[in-house]
Amino acid sequence: MTNLNSTLQVKVKKIRVGRGIGSGKGKTSGRGVKGQKSRSGVAIKSFEGGQMPLYRRLPKRGFNPLKKEKIAIINLSKINELIVKKKINEKEKVNLDALKKANILGKSYKKIKILGTGEIKFKVNLVADFVSKSAKVKLEKIGGTIILNNKN
């Protein structure tokens, strides 16, 4: 026995608008008479019939500045790794320009922040814009120094 639903296929005829009064959708093609919605090529985007539109009901959050400064974030473990690989010299000051010259950071970075994840085994002199408390403690414990740039 075959399934009746699979053998019988219902075909619904497509309504062809504007094909005379006998079709039921003739003359104005079911658009009513006059007005913006009866014309072709006119859409009322995000209009909700006088109700406050969704885009105006939702709160606008935050502020996206046009000139956002990119801040590079480097952990102490990464600095230690770079010294071991001889990409940077521990005797010289490690700052943003030195890291850019060594191709560790991209050109678009304007400021640098040092974070305290990992261990550092070298006495290193760092120049940064921001530093975390844990990074400062670890650097001072080992005998290194950190100089903060003036905040603009």
Side-chain angles (χ1 to χ4, degrees):
M1 189 169 152
T2 59
N3 191 352
L4 289 174
N5 291 339
S6 63
T7 55
L8 295 174
Q9 289 188 348
V10 180
K11 285 202 172 188
V12 180
K13 218 173 168 188
K14 186 182 167 213
I15 297 169
R16 297 174 71 215
V17 294
R19 297 296 192 279
I21 56 169
S23 69
K25 287 273 191 260
K27 194 184 164 209
T28 54
S29 306
R31 286 175 174 258
V33 189
K34 293 188 183 174
Q36 187 176 16
K37 288 180 164 180
S38 71
R39 318 271 187 237
S40 67
V42 180
I44 308 169
K45 298 254 187 323
S46 73
F47 183 71
E48 297 183 24
Q51 177 176 297
M52 189 61 68
L54 182 68
Y55 71 91
R56 286 183 62 196
R57 281 182 300 208
L58 296 174
K60 307 296 179 273
R61 298 279 311 224
F63 173 73
N64 295 320
L66 295 172
K67 292 185 178 180
K68 187 187 269 188
E69 286 187 329
K70 284 180 77 178
I71 299 172
I73 296 170
I74 291 194
N75 284 307
L76 289 176
S77 60
K78 183 74 177 172
I79 293 169
N80 192 60
E81 187 183 305
L82 292 168
I83 293 169
V84 169
K85 288 181 178 179
K86 306 246 191 271
K87 294 226 176 190
I88 53 175
N89 190 0
E90 78 244 34
K91 304 285 189 246
E92 295 173 10
K93 280 188 179 178
V94 178
N95 58 8
L96 187 66
D97 294 327
L99 292 170
K100 280 182 182 179
K101 237 175 227 175
N103 286 332
I104 295 153
L105 294 178
K107 294 175 187 174
S108 61
Y109 289 106
K110 305 284 184 236
K111 292 185 178 183
I112 187 168
K113 181 171 183 172
I114 310 294
L115 299 180
T117 306
E119 293 298 320
I120 189 158
K121 295 176 174 79
F122 300 95
K123 287 183 185 179
V124 67
N125 298 323
L126 293 172
V127 180
D129 297 289
F130 311 100
V131 65
S132 68
K133 289 177 186 175
S134 61
K136 195 171 187 177
V137 168
K138 286 179 182 180
L139 272 169
E140 289 171 352
K141 188 177 179 184
I142 205 135
T145 58
I146 183 140
I147 301 162
L148 291 174
N149 290 337
N150 292 336
K151 291 179 182 174
N152 297 342

